[in-house]
Amino acid sequence: MQLSEFETHQAAEIQALFDRTFADAEGPAEGELVGGLVRKLMADTAPRDRLGFVALEKGRVVGGIFFSRLTFDSPVEAFLLSPVAVHPDHQGRGIGQRLIRFGLERLEARGVTHLFTFGDPAFYSRVGFMPAPESTAPFRLTQPEGWLGQALEGHEMASLAGVPRCVAAFDDPAYW
Ligand SMILES: CC(C)(COP(=O)(O)OP(=O)(O)OC[C@H]1O[C@@H](n2cnc3c(N)ncnc32)[C@H](O)[C@@H]1OP(=O)(O)O)[C@@H](O)C(=O)NCCC(=O)NCCS
């Protein structure tokens, strides 16, 4: 398996991966919702405000992950990890966790100081996330216990101030 930053010629394949994986996991409506989000992240979000990575097997995209900027009043480089998908035929082989770790390393190398995500704490704690204060989320959360964060080497959660803002692609309560 090969991990790399996504390239625009892979957009249709990445789109199909997210549509299929989330429809399979949580039904067609969720497939459409997350598929729409991925489309906006790839097509409408400034490259400086989002990063995406793919897992390739035999040249085919089998996993994908996106990170997008969260802006605080404090001068931090904060990003949100969401969404991440591994094709149903390839799940449970460690690809998801490798993809997340790869993304975190690349972001840290670019000076990112804080990361957030929402999801199952049991899964994301394996890659360094811990429960984060709800005040660090840009929207009211339907499941506040799933809001998670981590401060990267040499930084602290306590250094964050003010109300966070997300990129326009995430500016919809349906995602939160
Ligand atoms: C979540 C996902 C990305 C994980 O990728 P993966 O390659 O299957 O995961 P890994 O093989 O690295 O890790 C597997 C472990 O994570 C657990 N896990 C997988 N998906 C999980 C989920 N949605 N919630 C909680 N735990 C999950 C598995 O039970 C397994 O645990 P085990 O090692 O104790 O058996 C993948 O299952 C997926 O695409 N799911 C559907 C979409 C989704 O829910 N995305 C996350 C929200 S954005």
Side-chain angles (χ1 to χ4, degrees):
M1 194 203 23
Q2 195 194 331
L3 299 166
S4 59
E5 198 158 338
F6 94 93
E7 294 174 20
T8 45
H9 71 86
Q10 295 165 327
E13 219 184 330
I14 294 169
Q15 188 67 60
L17 166 78
F18 278 90
D19 292 350
R20 160 77 202 273
T21 304
F22 277 87
D24 203 77
E26 295 176 45
E30 191 70 10
E32 256 178 54
L33 188 72
V34 180
L37 170 65
V38 166
R39 194 170 310 116
K40 286 184 268 181
L41 287 171
M42 289 194 291
D44 305 339
T45 309
R48 67 176 295 276
D49 292 335
R50 66 102 172 92
L51 282 148
F53 303 95
V54 288
L56 298 166
E57 269 192 3
K58 296 181 184 149
R60 302 297 308 271
V61 175
V62 298
I65 189 167
F66 286 91
F67 297 85
S68 59
R69 188 178 295 280
L70 286 180
T71 310
F72 288 81
D73 291 343
S74 16
V76 293
E77 287 284 308
F79 275 75
L80 172 70
L81 180 177
S82 180
V84 52
V86 172
H87 189 284
D89 295 346
H90 298 266
Q91 289 174 7
R93 291 171 30 207
I95 296 175
Q97 288 170 73
R98 284 180 62 187
L99 198 47
I100 294 169
R101 286 203 183 91
F102 182 77
L104 298 188
E105 281 164 20
R106 291 296 173 101
L107 265 75
E108 191 165 14
R110 290 178 188 216
V112 170
T113 56
H114 295 77
L115 283 155
F116 293 89
T117 193
F118 43 79
D120 186 337
F123 178 68
Y124 286 104
S125 63
R126 296 183 189 189
V127 286
F129 286 93
M130 291 181 295
E134 219 181 322
S135 60
T136 56
F139 272 79
R140 181 181 287 272
L141 300 159
T142 47
Q143 290 180 297
E145 66 282 3
W147 182 244
L148 308 168
Q150 60 178 298
L152 297 177
E153 193 68 32
H155 299 279
E156 289 178 19
M157 274 293 164
S159 63
L160 298 173
V163 179
R165 291 173 300 282
C166 55
V167 296
F170 266 104
D171 214 352
D172 181 340
Y175 294 124
W176 302 90

